[in-house]
Amino acid sequence: MARDITRNAGEMQHIRVSPAQPAAAAIDIAARAIKSGGLVAFPTETVYGLGANAWDADAVHKIFRAKARPATDPLIAHICSADQLDDIARDAPDLARELCRRFWPGALTLVLPKSAQLPANLTAGLDTLAVRMPDHAVAAALIEAAGVPIAAPSANRFSRPSPTTAQHVLDDLADEVDVLLDAGPTAIGLESTIVSLVDDPPQLLRPGGVPLEALRQVIPDLRFEPRFLSDGEAAPAPGTLLKHYSPRAKLLLFQGSDDAAIYAAMRAEIEGNRRVGLMLGDADAAAFADLDVKVERLGRNAEQAAPRLFAAMRALDGAGVGLILARAPDKQGLGLALWDRLLRAAEGSLIEVQPARGGSR
Ligand code: TXA
Ligand code: MG
């Protein structure tokens, strides 16, 4: 295969495109980079991806090298039409078709038996493949123009928060990418939901952009067993490593229903500690207005918090805080994915705050 993309550091092409109607010339440059074995960072509705031709083992290898990602952590293949599914997956069950019809394009990744022709490094040697059809005009146009499925993890360095803006990609991977398609911030801001259809009953491996409740309408017995592993433990499924999506700062996650008790517990952590940052919903943030601490507001609900969460972690890291305090959200809808990312950032530990004696006011 031709290797006409030779690139030295600093030669990345950063191309701004309209998120809804990307210019054909921009897509063409990026598609040519994919076809010649290069790396293209591109937006999806969830987070930015670091893409390469999924059929090309050398190009796939570049992704692992660029991210410093363990070779044991398989990638997601991105497609732009349901027909492409049959090229890369084997024996997709009727349930897969049903899920595709309902949720694609969208933030749902399916794990299916893989085609034997795919390079082994794409799936980390597994005989299963993760695949999704992103709901973003730029991603769709790129996959279409490249004419191949695009392997893409989130375009961050391994264990850093996923990128929701082109700037995040530049911060982590500027020297590694051939073309960056910059279409502004991503809409959902958390990664796709991953469902394994090779398990019986099907299993939710990662909560994400498509809520568990919506999936259970189609798969009533969908299993979900959140597990948070410490570094040495063997993962039952790849990608369930504990240290993921993390800011550099230590994160403490508080859970409880009594606002006053939560605020008191947080204030106790803040006292005497000048390098604390808060990551809170608007209502909770207001309770700390009198303090001189860095606050990242996550908005009024899970839909507003999701696209702000990873940017908030990066902003607090950038501000040099050593400790981040956050509150565990409600697990409904997108809240489950938020809760999952926060718990991973907190390395699996929750601080349960009991109601103050006499109950909440
Ligand atoms: O929203 C998303 O899913 C984004 C955008 C770019 O599409 N991608 C993303 O990729 O989050 P990544 O690589 O950061 O996360 C993919 C997860 C990993 O945890 C990986 O272990 C899991 O998918 N995965 C991939 N193939 C798998 C397989 N065959 N079985 C189980 N898990 C798999
Ligand atoms: Mg990732």
Side-chain angles (χ1 to χ4, degrees):
M1 186 177 286
R3 286 276 184 280
D4 56 8
I5 299 274
T6 48
R7 191 186 44 80
N8 299 314
E11 282 183 16
M12 179 199 61
Q13 297 192 65
H14 179 175
I15 309 174
R16 291 190 176 77
V17 290
S18 151
Q21 289 166 317
I27 295 299
D28 187 55
I29 291 170
R32 272 190 282 134
I34 293 285
K35 285 190 273 192
S36 54
L39 295 184
V40 173
F42 65 98
T44 77
E45 79 280 34
T46 59
V47 300
Y48 275 76
L50 178 65
N53 178 355
W55 290 112
D56 181 343
D58 293 341
V60 167
H61 177 69
K62 285 188 193 169
I63 293 177
F64 284 93
R65 208 175 47 203
K67 288 195 56 153
R69 179 181 177 110
T72 50
D73 197 0
L75 306 179
I76 296 175
H78 295 69
I79 59 178
C80 65
S81 81
D83 297 341
Q84 265 180 316
L85 188 60
D86 296 313
D87 299 340
I88 55 177
R90 265 187 310 114
D91 314 323
D94 290 345
L95 178 57
R97 312 274 167 203
E98 169 81 8
L99 292 168
C100 301
R101 264 195 305 279
R102 293 237 199 167
F103 296 105
W104 283 1
L108 175 66
T109 295
L110 298 178
V111 174
L112 294 166
K114 74 163 218 181
S115 147
Q117 272 80 53
L118 285 171
N121 58 352
L122 173 73
T123 61
L126 298 175
D127 54 13
T128 57
L129 167 76
V131 55
R132 84 176 186 101
M133 190 192 299
D135 185 14
H136 195 294
V138 174
L142 174 64
I143 301 163
E144 170 85 44
V148 291
I150 294 184
S154 49
N156 52 285
R157 265 188 209 282
F158 187 67
S159 99
R160 294 273 296 144
S162 291
T164 54
T165 67
Q167 185 60 51
H168 296 161
V169 178
L170 290 172
D171 291 345
D172 279 17
L173 297 172
D175 293 341
E176 318 289 343
V177 175
D178 296 298
V179 178
L180 165 59
L181 292 175
D182 175 353
T186 60
I188 296 177
L190 298 175
E191 303 87 342
S192 61
T193 303
I194 303 179
V195 170
S196 167
L197 296 183
V198 297
D199 293 307
D200 189 18
Q203 192 176 356
L204 188 142
L205 299 179
R206 177 177 76 182
V210 170
L212 176 61
E213 295 89 336
L215 289 164
R216 284 223 166 112
Q217 289 181 359
V218 185
I219 320 173
D221 58 348
L222 179 63
R223 260 192 312 149
F224 175 47
E225 288 154 14
R227 282 201 60 194
F228 299 96
L229 304 170
S230 53
D231 276 342
E233 246 181 297
T240 47
L241 286 175
L242 181 60
K243 192 123 181 67
H244 237 120
Y245 317 110
S246 313
R248 292 194 190 90
K250 181 181 172 65
L251 188 141
L252 297 181
L253 187 58
F254 294 78
Q255 171 158 284
S257 54
D258 183 341
D259 292 346
I262 291 263
Y263 302 155
M266 288 187 169
R267 278 176 184 267
E269 288 293 338
I270 296 168
E271 217 156 84
N273 193 339
R274 279 172 302 130
R275 290 173 51 242
V276 185
L278 306 180
M279 213 163 54
L280 292 171
D282 290 353
D284 292 331
F288 297 89
D290 61 306
L291 295 183
D292 181 24
V293 289
K294 182 118 183 78
V295 182
E296 287 291 325
R297 287 178 175 255
L298 298 180
R300 289 190 306 276
N301 52 42
E303 284 63 36
Q304 291 186 354
R308 299 183 191 187
L309 181 75
F310 291 140
M313 288 180 184
R314 285 173 179 264
L316 290 174
D317 270 345
V321 308
L323 180 67
I324 298 174
L325 309 183
R327 183 170 183 176
D330 232 34
K331 291 188 212 163
Q332 273 153 22
L334 254 190
L336 183 65
L338 273 176
W339 176 86
D340 172 85
R341 305 307 186 268
L342 281 166
L343 190 56
R344 285 175 199 281
E347 306 202 4
S349 76
L350 260 181
I351 300 172
E352 296 277 356
V353 179
Q354 301 307 324
R357 248 203 274 261
S360 57
R361 290 161 298 163

